[in-house]
Amino acid sequence: MTTAHHQDRMQAQITFILEIDKLKRVLRRNTLIDGSRRENDAEHSWHLGMLAMVMGEHAEPGVNLDRVVRMLLVHDIVEIDAGDTFIYDVVAVEAQEAAEQAAAERIFGLLPAEQAREFQELWEEFEARATPEARFAKALDRLAPIMANHHNEGGTWALYKVTASQVLEKVAIIVAGSATLGAFATELVEMSVARGHLAP
Amino acid sequence: MTTAHHQDRMQAQITFILEIDKLKRVLRRNTLIDGSRRENDAEHSWHLGMLAMVMGEHAEPGVNLDRVVRMLLVHDIVEIDAGDTFIYDVVAVEAQEAAEQAAAERIFGLLPAEQAREFQELWEEFEARATPEARFAKALDRLAPIMANHHNEGGTWALYKVTASQVLEKVAIIVAGSATLGAFATELVEMSVARGHLAP
Ligand SMILES: [Ca+2]
């Protein structure tokens, strides 16, 4: 390996790091827990990484939590190009898939080839939910906005007229990754309905 | 273990997760790479986690990168109570230590006892820089604002009248964690001086 090779390699890594700064400007529908402003994808990804570190005991036994953390840090990067899709907007969710694939190729493709592959695989694993790590990561991604809305008198549920049965479909994804967190999310949904913050 | 015990335990974990949402409202001095607004501690911590995932080959051989990622996700949580300290403000940096210790006890103390200990130790390891993992984590924490300022025509350096020799003191911390990233940071500082974006 020549010095020029090493310099090109580091330059590619730096280019990627600078590019993903844009994730801090991709806004989600939900707000911060205090309701003060909309949350962005970068701080959301951090919060999910922390959730994984704290909630590990609620994953299936043997789950590699470090891989879950990495998956969660990477999972939304495609939204730099593809934008955030509201999970209750079915038409948008379908159109999103091609856009996200293209985004993954462009953005992860900024990295040296074997790192590009590594990040692409991590993202695809998350999306496919075929491993216990991906199912747990996805469960946390679904749990976070339910917690935020529950603490915000319904938050985006009220705003976008989402009903409890729609939320409970998402809760099924949480159950698939963690029985206890799924039960907890179900409780939050029931409390929100009881308080009149979520339409039944 | 009773069901009540399990419920208390999960409630403690949820309380911690809701509390650390506040990190999204702690603003740093530096801006996003595009200069559009100040960066917050939560999105900064995400970006550092990504830096660790991408730049692992620049750490000392044998460094546990997953521990580095965890350390970086946790490292600024104390600033929820203690606030961000500008690293070039020497008086503030000293007063900060007691405030951060108290913050660590309060915030990590929301968790079940053994998790509180685990997070406290991770944070103390980072602060003490006594392990290769902590030195690498600290190097990335120092590198990020140098990259941001370099891409922002000097950014906070100009604003707070920081000189190259002050920045190079921080670069020594990067060198201690990674020789190649230290050399890269030195180059950025020299380029910024040459372009007139940083006082010599
Ligand atoms: Ca800091």
Side-chain angles (χ1 to χ4, degrees), chain A residues 9 13 17-18 21 24-25 33-34 37 39-40 43 46-47 54 57-58 66 70 73 115, chain B residues 9 13 17 21 24-25 33-34 37 39-40 43 46-47 54 57-58 66 70 73 115:
Chain A
R9 191 173 158 83
Q13 292 165 335
I17 287 295
L18 294 173
D21 200 75
K24 300 169 188 171
R25 292 187 281 126
I33 300 285
D34 76 346
R37 62 164 172 80
E39 188 183 33
N40 72 59
E43 61 197 4
W46 165 79
H47 211 171
V54 169
E57 70 204 61
H58 304 289
D66 289 314
R70 286 171 175 249
L73 295 188
Q115 286 191 307
Chain B
R9 191 173 158 84
Q13 292 166 333
I17 287 295
D21 199 74
K24 300 169 188 170
R25 292 186 282 126
I33 299 285
D34 75 346
R37 63 165 171 81
E39 189 182 34
N40 72 59
E43 61 197 4
W46 165 78
H47 212 171
V54 169
E57 68 203 64
H58 304 288
D66 289 313
R70 285 171 176 249
L73 296 188
Q115 286 191 308

Side-chain angles (χ1 to χ4, degrees), chain B:
Chain B
M1 301 271 174
T2 63
T3 303
H5 169 86
H6 281 297
Q7 280 178 349
D8 288 353
R9 191 173 158 84
M10 193 196 269
Q11 193 50 61
Q13 292 166 333
I14 296 288
T15 300
F16 174 78
I17 287 295
L18 293 174
E19 178 67 18
I20 64 171
D21 199 74
K22 294 176 182 167
L23 198 62
K24 300 169 188 170
R25 292 186 282 126
V26 178
L27 295 185
R28 295 164 47 80
R29 299 293 173 111
N30 64 274
T31 64
L32 304 190
I33 299 285
D34 75 346
S36 59
R37 63 165 171 81
R38 282 169 70 183
E39 189 182 34
N40 72 59
D41 267 350
E43 61 197 4
H44 160 69
S45 299
W46 165 78
H47 212 171
L48 292 183
M50 290 301 307
L51 255 173
M53 285 176 64
V54 169
M55 296 295 185
E57 68 203 64
H58 304 288
E60 285 178 39
V63 158
N64 178 343
L65 282 174
D66 289 313
R67 190 163 176 85
V68 174
V69 171
R70 285 171 176 249
M71 213 177 273
L72 288 168
L73 296 188
V74 163
H75 86 289
D76 267 345
I77 286 177
V78 294
E79 296 189 358
I80 287 172
D81 287 354
D84 181 51
T85 306
F86 194 46
I87 55 169
Y88 296 106
D89 183 342
V90 179
V91 178
V93 166
E94 286 181 9
Q96 187 77 349
E97 277 178 31
E100 291 195 346
Q101 269 298 345
E105 279 167 39
R106 183 189 76 77
I107 304 170
F108 299 138
L110 296 171
L111 286 165
E114 97 287 357
Q115 286 191 308
R117 239 183 340 265
E118 179 196 327
F119 281 77
Q120 175 90 26
E121 283 169 9
L122 209 48
W123 173 70
E124 285 174 359
E125 181 177 335
F126 174 80
E127 287 295 316
R129 279 185 281 148
T131 61
E133 282 76 14
R135 284 191 291 273
F136 188 58
K138 203 77 167 186
L140 299 177
D141 189 35
R142 288 292 177 261
L143 176 60
I146 294 176
M147 284 172 57
N149 283 342
H150 175 73
H151 282 269
N152 269 301
E153 307 188 339
T156 49
W157 291 331
L159 200 60
Y160 298 98
K161 302 196 194 312
V162 173
T163 66
S165 60
Q166 285 175 294
V167 179
L168 288 171
E169 277 174 40
K170 304 305 169 191
V171 169
I173 293 174
I174 305 179
V175 173
S178 167
T180 46
L181 293 181
F184 171 66
T186 306
E187 255 179 67
L188 293 186
V189 170
E190 286 167 359
M191 274 192 278
S192 291
V193 171
R195 290 175 189 172
H197 297 154
L198 175 59

